[in-house]
Amino acid sequence: MSAEHPTVVHWMDGKEWAGTSTRTSPVFNPATGQVAREVMLASTSDVDLVVTSAAAAAAEWRRVSLTRRTQVLFAFRELVSQHKEDLACLITAEHGKVFSDALGEVGRGLEVVDFACGVPHLLKGGFSEGVSTDVDVYSIRQPVGVVAGITPFNFPTMVPMWMFPVAIACGNAFILKPSERDPSASMLLAELWQRAGLPDGVFSVVHGDKEAVDALLHHPGVAGISFVGSTPIARYVYETAAQAGKRVQALGGAKNHMIVLPDADLDGAADAAVSAGYGSAGERCMAISVVVAVDPIGDDLVQRITERIGGLTIADGAEPGTDMGPVITAQHRDRIAGYVGAGEAAGATLVVDGRALRVEGREEGFFIGPTLFDHVTTDMTIYTDEIFGPVLTVVRVASYDDAVRLVNENPYGNGVALFTADGGAARRFQFEVEAGMIGINVPIPVPMAYYSFGGWNQSLFGDTHMHGTEGVHFYTRGKVVTARWPNPQVAPVTSGPDLGFPTHQ
Ligand code: NAD
């Protein structure tokens, strides 16, 4: 710990907790490039203490009535709503995204709290009366115990909120391991849970890096792991947690395509490509990174996108009127710039080069301007790799079939969009395309909270997507009860032992 910067600590038993480790990591303000805070990095034994606290809380919380749980959720919803600007300020200060975008992410997270407020309905089971003489069968869903969420830097509130409202509503205790790069919003969320009346220990925050993650993946007291992050870590988390006998859902990276058919409204498509490509500096798992222009509209579309890029304001995300802020770290900015260099060297046409951008008064900030490549081919690293920055690549193809083949041959399968005026093509597309979230004339098709969020192929390891009914299933276990309550006045309780297999005849 240093006296120079405030330190973000863990949250255990309903209060801040410094932990036993002395390891810390710097937290930057990406717009200024300065270290704003430090965050504690938990040790394996810190994680053990948090899991022990959560396990005790989980045993009690599952007994709390659905009515009471719902009251706590409604109170939390109200408090998050009251503090959404405070949360957005923390997000902008540590992530760098513009304030309105940060407010938007809190709003999308709140939609999952809204969904979870309906938990009494979501947990209703089935009942079959009289499946045999005096025998009824019914199904119930019960919490799994302690579950952990390991989340990425790019949505410090929304992604955790895909997980914990549903997990907690279902009667589990939840441990959040947020990104160490923007850890502060999770602490305000913890405080709001406490003020909402959530019993201590039901929601904990443990900050850390690989050591903390590994401790959660191996801990026998953790029953389930929800992960969102890059594909290599998602695969590692999935394999390690599954090997340790846990249920696991691990959402990975993406390379989202937007196909534009010749009959599309090209102004609308260009607006969508710019919004979805450069919003949040391209640091969204649903960002569009590949525009697939179907002949003969390539020149026209590239020109319209270029014109719009010229109108964007790139500055500190906290300043009103900013369209795009910095990226998360200096290393990430340099990595993105490296991809731009590689694209140029590979022969793609660099239409707009964002590398030279300087933001006045923010010269030390981690800025890189919007970048546009045309005539990109599938062997180039700017096509094959997830860049996760403000770089849009245009691939030209001859037909709808070529466009869909391109998407389906890509190893990821998070989101994909089609822009067209042809309803028949749109129907065919949603049937044929290999991805989890499909937009028809919608560039970023993030599902509403009562549907489930998740991709296919290398964008998902595990079987269940997040929130919606799949979230409820992930955070609960099914149980079926077969009950016999004989009425001796109507039929004898038993006519003697019967070693045959019960057939309910
Ligand atoms: P990341 O994979 O580096 O980190 C995610 C989490 O894993 C963090 O909490 C981090 O501390 C932890 N982690 C990092 N390295 C680890 C290691 N070696 N062992 C164990 N844990 C480790 O991802 P990021 O850079 O924070 O976020 C960006 C990535 O997340 C992008 O690839 C993006 O596509 C992806 N993402 C996916 C979705 C989705 O829904 N599929 C949503 C948001 C972000």
Side-chain angles (χ1 to χ4, degrees):
M1 251 186 276
S2 100
E4 217 181 316
H5 304 292
T7 304
V8 183
V9 297
H10 314 292
W11 185 273
M12 183 172 79
D13 288 333
K15 52 187 175 305
E16 289 190 347
W17 177 60
T20 61
S21 156
T22 51
R23 284 197 312 131
T24 62
S25 178
V27 179
F28 289 89
N29 178 335
T32 63
Q34 304 303 309
V35 176
R37 301 181 177 84
E38 290 189 329
V39 60
M40 301 304 305
L41 299 178
S43 64
T44 303
S45 52
D46 288 340
V47 170
D48 186 45
L49 290 168
V50 172
V51 175
T52 304
S53 151
E60 295 300 318
W61 180 239
R62 63 172 297 212
R63 295 176 187 280
V64 171
S65 70
L66 285 172
T67 307
R68 176 68 196 139
R69 279 190 229 161
T70 311
Q71 285 166 351
V72 173
L73 279 157
F74 271 110
F76 178 68
R77 195 212 172 280
E78 211 43 45
L79 284 162
V80 174
S81 202
Q82 282 166 18
H83 289 273
K84 57 180 189 284
E85 302 203 335
D86 300 327
L87 285 161
C89 279
L90 292 171
I91 296 167
T92 296
E94 294 182 355
H95 175 284
K97 67 175 73 173
V98 302
F99 183 72
S100 57
D101 197 22
L103 268 181
E105 93 156 80
V106 178
R108 292 308 302 255
L110 264 175
E111 290 172 13
V112 184
V113 184
D114 292 345
F115 169 74
C117 285
V119 71
H121 174 71
L122 297 168
L123 290 182
K124 278 197 297 196
F127 193 100
S128 300
E129 186 184 43
V131 298
S132 183
T133 308
D134 299 328
V135 177
D136 305 321
V137 174
Y138 50 98
S139 64
I140 51 184
R141 297 204 70 86
Q142 297 185 330
V144 297
V146 176
V147 291
I150 299 157
T151 54
F153 79 83
N154 66 323
F155 285 108
T157 60
M158 185 186 77
V159 168
M161 286 166 91
W162 285 349
M163 305 170 181
F164 65 68
V166 181
I168 289 174
C170 290
N172 302 282
F174 189 92
I175 301 172
L176 174 61
K177 205 305 282 172
S179 171
E180 63 276 33
R181 287 181 260 174
D182 43 19
S184 295
S186 58
M187 296 305 283
L188 179 50
L189 290 169
E191 190 191 318
L192 299 181
W193 268 125
Q194 208 255 340
R195 284 170 54 192
L198 188 73
D200 294 350
V202 177
F203 182 76
S204 313
V205 181
V206 60
H207 298 288
D209 54 9
K210 182 170 168 53
E211 180 172 348
V213 172
D214 283 344
L216 288 167
L217 300 183
H218 291 289
H219 200 294
V222 176
I225 298 280
S226 299
F227 173 89
V228 176
S230 58
T231 287
I233 310 296
R235 183 186 288 112
Y236 168 76
V237 165
Y238 177 75
E239 288 171 357
T240 311
Q243 189 102 43
K246 303 179 196 316
R247 56 178 59 195
V248 45
Q249 50 178 187
L251 276 57
K255 193 81 186 172
N256 305 311
H257 294 59
M258 170 178 154
I259 300 174
V260 184
L261 294 187
D263 63 9
D265 164 10
L266 291 192
D267 279 321
D271 285 340
V274 170
S275 311
Y278 304 120
S280 201
E283 292 174 322
R284 289 180 181 144
C285 63
M286 291 290 276
I288 293 296
S289 55
V290 185
V291 173
V292 186
V294 178
D295 286 346
I297 56 157
D299 289 347
D300 198 351
L301 186 61
V302 168
Q303 188 195 332
R304 289 176 205 232
I305 293 174
T306 310
E307 283 162 10
R308 283 159 174 80
I309 293 173
L312 297 178
T313 304
I314 296 96
D316 185 331
E319 279 170 23
T322 302
D323 293 309
M324 196 184 101
V327 298
I328 187 73
T329 57
Q331 292 82 347
H332 190 48
R333 178 201 53 208
D334 296 346
R335 182 177 167 272
I336 296 165
Y339 274 113
V340 178
E344 219 180 356
T349 310
L350 184 52
V351 184
V352 181
D353 184 354
R355 286 174 295 182
L357 176 89
R358 294 288 168 270
V359 175
E360 212 185 312
R362 291 282 180 269
E363 285 77 8
E364 304 301 315
F366 309 141
F367 290 94
I368 180 162
T371 297
L372 178 66
F373 276 108
D374 194 4
H375 300 290
V376 173
T377 53
T378 55
D379 54 334
M380 298 177 181
T381 54
I382 50 170
Y383 178 79
T384 54
D385 295 7
E386 182 187 40
I387 301 174
F388 219 56
V391 180
L392 207 48
T393 55
V394 178
V395 177
R396 298 182 180 216
V397 297
S399 66
Y400 163 89
D401 287 317
D402 289 346
V404 171
R405 194 173 313 114
L406 183 81
V407 174
N408 288 353
E409 285 175 357
N410 190 275
Y412 297 104
N414 217 37
V416 62
L418 176 75
F419 277 70
T420 183
D422 180 346
R427 277 201 87 237
R428 191 179 153 197
F429 176 72
Q430 55 97 20
F431 183 77
E432 293 174 345
V433 78
E434 294 260 329
M437 294 169 284
I438 315 298
I440 310 287
N441 297 318
V442 171
I444 304 195
V446 173
M448 297 301 290
Y450 35 91
Y451 288 89
S452 298
F453 185 106
W456 285 17
N457 306 331
Q458 304 219 356
S459 295
L460 176 78
F461 299 86
D463 304 314
T464 36
H465 291 176
M466 294 199 177
H467 61 68
T469 45
E470 294 199 36
V472 174
H473 271 246
F474 184 76
Y475 292 123
T476 54
R477 289 187 288 185
K479 204 177 238 182
V480 178
V481 182
T482 304
R484 185 168 188 227
W485 292 106
N487 183 348
Q489 284 156 349
V490 177
V493 175
T494 170
S495 51
D498 178 356
L499 274 61
F501 196 74
T503 58
H504 299 303
Q505 293 305 310

